Amino acid sequence: MTEKKIDVVSKKERHARLLEIISVFRKYDVLFNFVRQRNPHRVRVAFEELGVTFIKIGQMLSTRSDLVSPEFVEEFKQLQDNVMVDEFSAVEKTIKKQTGHTVNELFKSFSPQPFASASIGQTHLAKLRDGTQVAVKVQHENVKEIVETDLALFEQALTILKFAPEASVVDIRKTLFEIKRALLDEIDTKIEAKNGNEFYRLNNDQGIIRSPKFYSELSVQGMLVSEYMAGESIKKIVDEPQVQDEAQLDQKRQDERHFLAESLIKNFIKQVFTDHFFHADPHPGNILFTRIEKNNNQSEELEHHFSKRFGGANVTVSKIRNLPPYRLTYLDFGMMGRLSPNMADGIANVIIAINSKDMRDIGQTLLAICDRAGEVDEEDFYSQLTVFLAPYFQNSLGSINFPELLYRIMQLCRNNNLRIKSEVTLLVKAFGLIEGLVVQLDPEISMLDVARPFAKEYLLKRFNLQNAAEDSAVNFWRAFVATPQIPVKINKFLDVLTQGRAQVRFNYKDQEVLLKRIEHMLNKVVTAIILAATIVGSSLLVQASSAHPIVYNLGVWGYGITLFVVVLMIINDLNKRYKDWRKKRREKR
């Protein structure tokens, strides 16, 4: 990652802020609690005291169950922005500074009061010179400088506090790197405008999905101008109470919730397998629900049921259906994910393997999308995966705690020297958010059931029949040519056996560990023999040469050296036993 230049802040201000960060970290024992994943409440309170940067860090971690435990995820979800509203004069100053134009020069009208505000910025309703209604997001004054300075001081505080706990549950430096990259991207409005326009091109008007268009020529660092999208958070639909008595169920409302859940799943799968570009933070606050008038531009959707190419012609059979009178709108494109075609293939294979419930297939597909950080015992990994996943295959989707499942999978991979690739981590996090929303809308729908046919269709599209046929023909020819050689090879093998030149090799599981233990035992035995010989020799020297001081002293020195070595061996053994005891205690926790 390219480091972004941090704006100059006075040394006095930096020093005062650094002391504040260190003081709060010590007060709440933040580093110890965070790396050991203990006392999440104390860490949350500390982040709230430290203000905007740390609140945003906590909010991001609340969606990263691959980095922190489920307990920390739930605690960080309680972090709320310290909602601050800038005076209109400050907004005008920021716009003038970033664009070189006044508000009146850029907009026909501009509402002085924001309709939304958060820790990073506030959003105003405005009209362009042609009368188009837009939403203008303006960052709070000096937010960029504050965030960048805090991130730099956070890293400096880690060095000063010299944190180095043993066997940390969380790698805080890796976590800081991930959060730093995401947070710097979020405050870069140019990146968000670019992402938003790409998402608009790929997803706007796809069924009931909508996305605002961004005005790149007006969007600069610190100010983002986009099409205004009316609506309210889908959370309102999710929070509507469910009627328990089936006889009283409002079928229309249930059908609506089912259609919303199905539309979210299908569009998300399209983002992953077709676009390879997906919204990585699809929580309810970033998805608006809007009802429209039935006679107001009632739109239609084509459903493709059959598509086949005959010669140079492509034949498609479709059905036209009217869309319901409501829409879903995606917002906030600061955190997006991308997949390579090969990675998308790997994800599709994982979904298909999960459908088969074949643990070895699941393990192999997981290995394909992971990087190896060291030696991996694949058989042991398959065995652990089988024990781990077996209970989950017996539960329904709604009964599975997805954040806990994800966190445990990450831990299992780490324990086997496997590192989940960053793009996969982002996808799984987004998948978890969408799945959580879908389950609340319609507990009966299974996201994997909907995703499975899309994954299969995706693989079939990438499957080249001609290439497969050519590969099969080549393999068949090679096998045909090699067949006559089989009797000759068998004869050679029998000759090797009869002449006693055959060698049999076998590997014992964990044989390296066993060999090291044997070597350690042999070293102890050899050391004991040497010490015993030294004691015997020293005793002979002391007994037989009391009249010869030099020889006598040599024997005494032999006793002393032997005693010193024995004491060192005892201390070393006790130290090793103590470390093993501490390690077992940590594992039990």
Side-chain angles (χ1 to χ4, degrees):
M1 184 188 84
T2 303
E3 290 287 334
K4 297 192 177 185
K5 185 179 178 181
I6 295 179
D7 294 340
V8 177
V9 178
S10 70
K11 290 184 178 179
K12 184 177 180 181
E13 292 175 333
R14 288 173 63 92
H15 182 67
R17 180 59 172 167
L18 177 61
L19 291 179
E20 181 185 7
I21 292 172
I22 293 174
S23 174
V24 172
F25 271 36
R26 284 176 172 165
K27 177 181 177 182
Y28 294 99
D29 208 359
V30 171
L31 292 181
F32 179 84
N33 286 324
F34 186 78
V35 298
R36 300 285 179 87
Q37 291 293 277
R38 299 176 183 172
N39 303 316
H41 175 72
R42 289 175 62 81
V43 178
R44 176 178 66 83
V45 173
F47 280 12
E48 286 176 339
E49 278 195 25
L50 289 171
V52 55
T53 304
F54 291 85
I55 288 174
K56 295 304 295 184
I57 289 175
Q59 289 175 342
M60 288 182 174
L61 287 173
S62 72
T63 63
R64 295 300 300 270
S65 50
D66 59 303
L67 295 177
V68 295
S69 68
E71 293 76 18
F72 269 75
V73 167
E74 291 303 315
E75 189 68 33
F76 284 152
K77 282 180 179 178
Q78 301 177 38
L79 280 169
Q80 300 295 325
D81 287 331
N82 293 329
V83 179
M84 44 191 279
V85 178
D86 290 337
E87 296 290 336
F88 185 56
S89 57
V91 174
E92 289 181 305
K93 180 181 176 182
T94 299
I95 293 176
K96 174 69 174 177
K97 177 183 177 181
Q98 298 298 337
T99 66
H101 298 280
T102 65
V103 170
N104 292 332
E105 290 173 344
L106 293 173
F107 305 99
K108 183 178 180 179
S109 65
F110 194 99
S111 174
Q113 294 298 322
F115 66 84
S117 183
S119 56
I120 295 294
Q122 59 193 52
T123 308
H124 297 255
L125 196 61
K127 285 186 179 180
L128 299 180
R129 306 305 299 178
D130 62 1
T132 303
Q133 197 169 41
V134 295
V136 183
K137 182 179 178 181
V138 183
Q139 284 187 356
H140 295 305
E141 194 173 8
N142 298 326
V143 160
K144 185 173 184 291
E145 290 81 357
I146 291 171
V147 170
E148 292 182 337
T149 301
D150 275 355
L151 288 173
L153 294 177
F154 188 10
E155 291 181 284
Q156 191 175 345
L158 294 182
T159 303
I160 293 174
L161 291 172
K162 296 180 180 178
F163 98 97
E166 292 184 26
S168 302
V169 178
V170 171
D171 184 342
I172 195 169
R173 296 199 182 277
K174 178 191 172 185
T175 303
L176 176 61
F177 175 80
E178 293 277 346
I179 294 302
K180 181 179 180 181
R181 179 174 57 182
L183 193 51
L184 290 179
D185 283 348
E186 183 173 338
I187 64 176
D188 191 334
T189 51
K190 292 181 181 179
I191 292 178
E192 183 172 352
K194 182 180 178 182
N195 290 339
N197 275 333
E198 186 173 357
F199 192 87
Y200 173 86
R201 177 178 60 82
L202 295 170
N203 293 283
N204 192 54
D205 285 332
Q206 295 291 319
I208 64 170
I209 303 299
R210 296 289 180 270
S211 176
K213 178 176 65 176
F214 287 78
Y215 296 87
S216 301
E217 67 279 7
L218 294 175
S219 297
V220 295
Q221 176 55 45
M223 186 182 78
L224 194 62
V225 182
S226 65
E227 179 184 2
Y228 173 71
M229 309 296 285
E232 54 191 359
S233 171
I234 195 175
K235 191 175 187 299
K236 184 175 181 181
I237 302 295
V238 170
D239 291 342
E240 286 181 356
Q242 294 283 337
V243 182
Q244 298 299 322
D245 187 355
E246 293 187 6
Q248 300 179 19
L249 283 176
D250 182 349
Q251 190 60 46
K252 184 178 179 181
R253 189 176 67 175
Q254 294 294 61
D255 290 344
E256 179 181 288
R257 294 171 71 99
H258 177 81
F259 189 83
L260 289 172
E262 191 176 61
S263 297
L264 283 170
I265 295 174
K266 288 183 177 179
N267 179 257
F268 183 72
I269 298 303
K270 171 192 170 294
Q271 293 176 38
V272 174
F273 292 115
T274 302
D275 305 334
H276 300 163
F277 179 72
F278 59 93
H279 198 297
D281 194 21
H283 64 77
N286 285 337
I287 302 176
L288 296 182
F289 176 83
T290 309
R291 292 195 184 276
I292 60 176
E293 296 292 335
K294 289 186 178 181
N295 57 357
N296 181 24
N297 297 325
Q298 182 70 35
S299 53
E300 299 172 334
E301 179 184 35
L302 282 178
E303 282 191 325
H304 297 292
H305 293 280
F306 174 79
S307 182
K308 187 69 176 177
R309 189 171 187 83
F310 297 97
N314 190 47
V315 178
T316 302
V317 178
S318 305
K319 181 177 75 173
I320 299 176
R321 69 168 176 175
N322 290 328
L323 292 174
Y326 45 81
R327 300 290 180 266
L328 291 177
T329 304
Y330 274 90
L331 301 175
D332 193 352
F333 305 97
M335 191 183 299
M336 306 296 291
R338 291 185 185 275
L339 295 174
S340 66
N342 288 338
M343 184 57 68
D345 286 348
I347 301 298
N349 285 327
V350 169
I351 294 174
I352 293 172
I354 290 175
N355 179 43
S356 69
K357 297 186 179 180
D358 186 317
M359 296 300 180
R360 182 167 289 272
D361 282 348
I362 296 173
Q364 289 174 346
T365 53
L366 282 175
L367 289 173
I369 62 173
C370 290
D371 291 323
R372 303 193 179 205
E375 187 176 347
V376 178
D377 187 334
E378 293 188 10
E379 294 302 322
D380 192 39
F381 175 66
Y382 296 149
S383 176
Q384 292 179 39
L385 190 66
T386 300
V387 173
F388 169 71
L389 286 179
Y392 288 98
F393 282 133
Q394 300 173 7
N395 297 331
S396 62
L397 181 68
S399 63
I400 294 177
N401 185 331
F402 194 86
E404 182 181 356
L405 171 63
L406 174 59
Y407 183 71
R408 291 183 61 192
I409 287 176
M410 298 297 178
Q411 291 291 92
L412 178 64
C413 289
R414 274 200 288 263
N415 293 340
N416 285 275
N417 293 324
L418 294 171
R419 186 182 297 117
I420 303 291
K421 294 181 180 179
S422 58
E423 59 267 40
V424 179
T425 298
L426 209 55
L427 173 62
V428 175
K429 170 244 180 180
F431 180 90
L433 289 174
I434 283 286
E435 185 195 47
L437 184 55
V438 164
V439 168
Q440 292 180 74
L441 285 169
D442 185 358
E444 300 301 319
I445 197 170
S446 169
M447 187 162 183
L448 288 179
D449 287 340
V450 179
R452 208 173 294 120
F454 279 84
K456 289 182 179 179
E457 182 182 353
Y458 173 80
L459 289 178
L460 287 174
K461 283 182 179 178
R462 295 184 63 82
F463 177 73
N464 190 310
L465 182 60
Q466 182 178 349
N467 290 344
E470 290 175 355
D471 291 342
S472 297
V474 171
N475 289 334
F476 176 78
W477 174 254
R478 292 175 64 185
F480 177 76
V481 171
T483 299
Q485 300 295 321
I486 292 177
V488 176
K489 291 184 178 181
I490 291 176
N491 187 48
K492 289 182 178 180
F493 173 69
L494 293 175
D495 286 343
V496 169
L497 287 179
T498 56
Q499 294 172 12
R501 290 186 288 119
Q503 293 183 353
V504 178
R505 295 182 180 181
F506 69 92
N507 288 325
Y508 174 76
K509 183 180 178 181
D510 296 331
Q511 65 178 12
E512 293 296 327
V513 176
L514 179 63
L515 290 174
K516 286 181 180 179
R517 287 182 178 176
I518 293 174
E519 182 182 4
H520 185 64
M521 290 173 61
L522 288 175
N523 288 337
K524 281 189 172 182
V525 170
V526 171
T527 304
I529 293 173
I530 293 173
L531 290 175
T534 304
I535 291 173
V536 171
S538 299
S539 300
L540 292 174
L541 291 174
V542 169
Q543 185 177 5
S545 51
S546 56
H548 302 279
I550 295 177
V551 178
Y552 178 82
N553 289 336
L554 187 62
V556 173
W557 271 101
Y559 280 131
I561 292 173
T562 303
L563 180 62
F564 178 72
V565 172
V566 170
V567 170
L568 281 181
M569 290 178 66
I570 292 173
I571 293 174
N572 183 60
D573 187 63
L574 290 174
N575 184 49
K576 183 177 180 301
R577 289 174 182 270
Y578 176 69
K579 287 183 177 179
D580 290 341
W581 175 76
R582 287 188 63 188
K583 183 178 179 181
K584 288 179 181 178
R585 249 184 105 184
R586 283 194 297 268
E587 289 175 352
K588 287 181 180 179
R589 291 176 183 175

